[in-house]
Amino acid sequence: MKMIPYGRQDISEDDIQAVANVLRSDYLTQGPVVPAFEKSVKDYCGAKFAVAVNSATSALHISCLALGVGPGDIVWTTPISFVASANCALYCGARIDFVDIDPLTYNMSMDCLSVKLEFAEKEGKLPKVIIPVHLAGQPCNMAAIHSMSERYGFKIIEDASHAIGGRYLDAPIGNGRYSDITVFSFHPVKIITTGEGGMALTNDPEIANKLVRLRSHGITRVQEEMTHITDGPWYYQQLELGFNYRMTDIQAALGLSQIKRLDEFVKKRRKIADRYNKYFADLWVTTPFEAPDSYSATHLYIVRLKLNEIKFSQKDIFEWLRSCGIQVNLHYIPIYRHPYYEKMGYIKKDYPQAEAYYAQAMSLPVYPALSDLQQEEVVQRMNTPIGFQTLF
Ligand SMILES: *Cc1c(COP(=O)(O)O)cnc(C)c1O
């Protein structure tokens, strides 16, 4: 049986050629292709600086560090995200807390955020950084978060791992109008891929320099950043404790080739979502919400099962679809439910909307190469209660 995954990469002959060209060139890493890829992403998004790294996880880590997150600080994010959105704060020795989600968008709730900020201010426990996540590509209400950041003085990292190619208020996500740093992921299931890879975008030259240093051991080769006049042409200085989070030219070549098709990828994803929306209008699922001020990159197509209308459980439906070769998935297990986080004392009842979401959510296949026939198969399986009956 041929599997239909929930997401997968789309690789062209041109992509393969671009990678092969790097393999035949002088530089496999730290050559000219990484800066070329950075330029293409920042130009696409309308940001001033872009720093390529080996994953979005690395980008989130050094973004937190570049904004000064450290022991004693608190960072807030949404519980409905990949664990990396929270882990980055812990890497820095900070504490993480979660803001419950909005029942319509499944992104961080602006009402919960504003109430939580009021409380935190009274208790003197305001977050240093907030990390909104554009779940499935649907942008968060960044204008609202930005205005709260001015009132309460926190910094903002947009985890836009799902969102490259999407738009908010008629401008590309990543332009940095409402945040300090935006992070993209280029993992193969994401919108465009470099195999593994990520990028941090900012409009602040100091943050950009810091990101550049942190991705490569904390080393600088820039005289103005050094503590004294250079010892000679070989000289560099390590100014802080950084990492090897560099992207290779092999990866960047794939990204540079992929970004040419970014708009086409997003269009295809959105077309698939539109078709699902039509097919499912009367089915026992809630289809995704898209805010009128946004253009979602549609990394995921998440439905919520109306379990009171059917006689099957969420688990039954997952098992049934998977038994048909349709690799539905659940994005995401609320982060506080993972044993590592549970130990830190988070309690489920603080996040009623995330809990309700987790009990009903399901991601259906959406990726550019999903054929009409494959999509029809997914729809047919979803539409065949008889299938359930024969199975159960
Ligand atoms: C995929 C993902 C990440 C991590 O991306 P990597 O490039 O795999 O490190 C972080 N946050 C979110 C929301 C993601 O979906």
Side-chain angles (χ1 to χ4, degrees):
M1 181 171 52
K2 187 123 178 23
M3 296 287 186
I4 304 178
Y6 80 85
R8 66 161 286 151
Q9 71 277 12
D10 183 320
I11 300 295
S12 68
E13 279 308 313
D14 283 351
D15 293 342
I16 293 167
Q17 200 53 53
V19 171
N21 289 346
V22 170
L23 292 173
R24 292 191 189 96
S25 77
D26 290 337
Y27 296 98
L28 300 187
T29 191
Q30 294 171 280
V33 192
V34 170
F37 180 42
E38 289 171 335
K39 182 170 178 351
S40 74
V41 176
K42 79 181 161 79
D43 289 352
Y44 181 93
C45 296
K48 290 208 177 85
F49 306 97
V51 180
V53 287
N54 58 2
S55 72
T57 303
S58 304
L60 287 165
H61 180 192
I62 61 175
S63 294
C64 283
L65 290 174
L67 296 179
V69 174
D73 292 326
I74 310 175
V75 173
W76 292 0
T77 189
T78 165
I80 301 299
S81 184
F82 186 53
V83 290
S85 309
N87 287 346
C88 56
L90 306 184
Y91 296 153
C92 305
R95 280 187 303 130
I96 190 89
D97 204 354
F98 303 99
V99 182
D100 203 5
I101 61 165
D102 181 295
L104 200 59
T105 62
Y106 317 144
N107 283 330
M108 182 183 283
S109 153
M110 291 304 105
D111 290 342
C112 294
L113 178 59
S114 113
V115 170
K116 202 175 165 79
L117 283 166
E118 245 176 77
F119 267 109
E121 187 179 44
K122 283 189 194 122
E123 295 187 336
K125 289 181 177 168
L126 281 169
K128 180 148 204 170
V129 169
I130 293 187
I131 308 180
V133 178
H134 306 314
L135 186 73
Q138 167 63 50
C140 295
N141 186 344
M142 292 308 301
I145 299 173
H146 184 255
S147 80
M148 288 188 238
S149 78
E150 290 185 326
R151 158 93 172 71
Y152 293 100
F154 57 83
K155 304 275 187 201
I156 305 171
I157 301 171
E158 280 174 75
D159 184 345
S161 291
H162 299 180
I164 193 170
R167 298 173 70 83
Y168 171 68
L169 294 178
D170 252 343
I173 291 172
N175 67 38
R177 241 179 98 187
Y178 299 103
S179 63
D180 297 279
I181 302 176
T182 304
V183 167
F184 294 131
S185 170
F186 307 124
H187 182 277
V189 296
K190 306 290 164 72
I191 311 280
I192 58 170
T193 189
T194 59
E196 296 278 4
M199 204 176 280
L201 278 67
T202 182
N203 292 323
D204 180 325
E206 275 180 35
I207 292 175
N209 282 347
K210 189 126 193 176
L211 292 168
V212 167
R213 285 203 303 269
L214 287 167
R215 82 169 156 191
S216 197
H217 310 280
I219 284 172
T220 186
R221 292 171 193 279
V222 180
Q223 177 63 66
E224 295 78 62
E225 292 180 2
M226 292 186 190
T227 54
H228 60 75
I229 291 291
T230 170
D231 294 354
W234 65 86
Y235 195 61
Y236 56 83
Q237 286 188 344
Q238 183 186 338
L239 298 176
E240 61 207 306
L241 189 61
F243 310 88
N244 180 353
Y245 281 171
R246 294 186 303 263
M247 177 180 278
T248 67
D249 279 47
I250 305 168
Q251 292 167 311
L254 182 52
L256 193 56
S257 179
Q258 287 252 304
I259 200 172
K260 292 184 192 143
R261 287 185 294 150
L262 172 55
D263 289 339
E264 180 194 324
F265 285 163
V266 171
K267 269 199 198 118
K268 282 187 178 168
R269 288 174 171 277
R270 293 178 57 88
K271 195 164 159 234
I272 291 166
D274 280 345
R275 288 181 67 189
Y276 276 139
N277 288 344
K278 288 197 186 84
Y279 282 127
F280 296 155
D282 303 315
L283 201 69
W284 35 267
V285 296
T286 306
T287 54
F289 171 81
E290 184 172 37
D293 63 5
S294 56
Y295 178 85
S296 169
T298 316
H299 164 57
L300 300 170
Y301 186 85
I302 300 172
V303 294
R304 277 177 81 156
L305 311 176
K306 296 178 185 166
L307 292 166
N308 53 341
E309 292 182 16
I310 48 175
K311 56 179 191 227
F312 303 101
S313 71
Q314 183 189 35
K315 201 158 156 249
D316 291 338
I317 292 166
F318 268 74
E319 283 171 355
W320 151 249
L321 289 168
R322 286 206 173 190
S323 77
C324 300
I326 297 163
Q327 295 296 99
V328 287
N329 219 317
L330 207 167
H331 300 94
Y332 291 90
I333 302 159
I335 297 174
Y336 55 77
R337 275 179 167 255
H338 288 284
Y340 181 77
Y341 281 91
E342 254 179 346
K343 277 189 309 211
M344 298 179 201
Y346 301 100
I347 41 178
K348 290 178 200 164
K349 75 168 175 44
D350 287 344
Y351 312 103
Q353 293 299 339
E355 285 296 296
Y357 169 89
Y358 182 54
Q360 299 170 339
M362 179 168 76
S363 301
L364 293 176
V366 60
Y367 50 91
L370 184 75
S371 70
D372 290 358
L373 215 64
Q374 285 172 315
Q375 189 178 9
E376 275 154 29
E377 191 183 331
V378 176
V379 170
Q380 203 178 9
R381 297 298 191 188
M382 291 281 288
N383 259 307
T384 315
I386 289 167
F388 293 132
Q389 265 142 29
T390 52
L391 192 73
F392 306 110

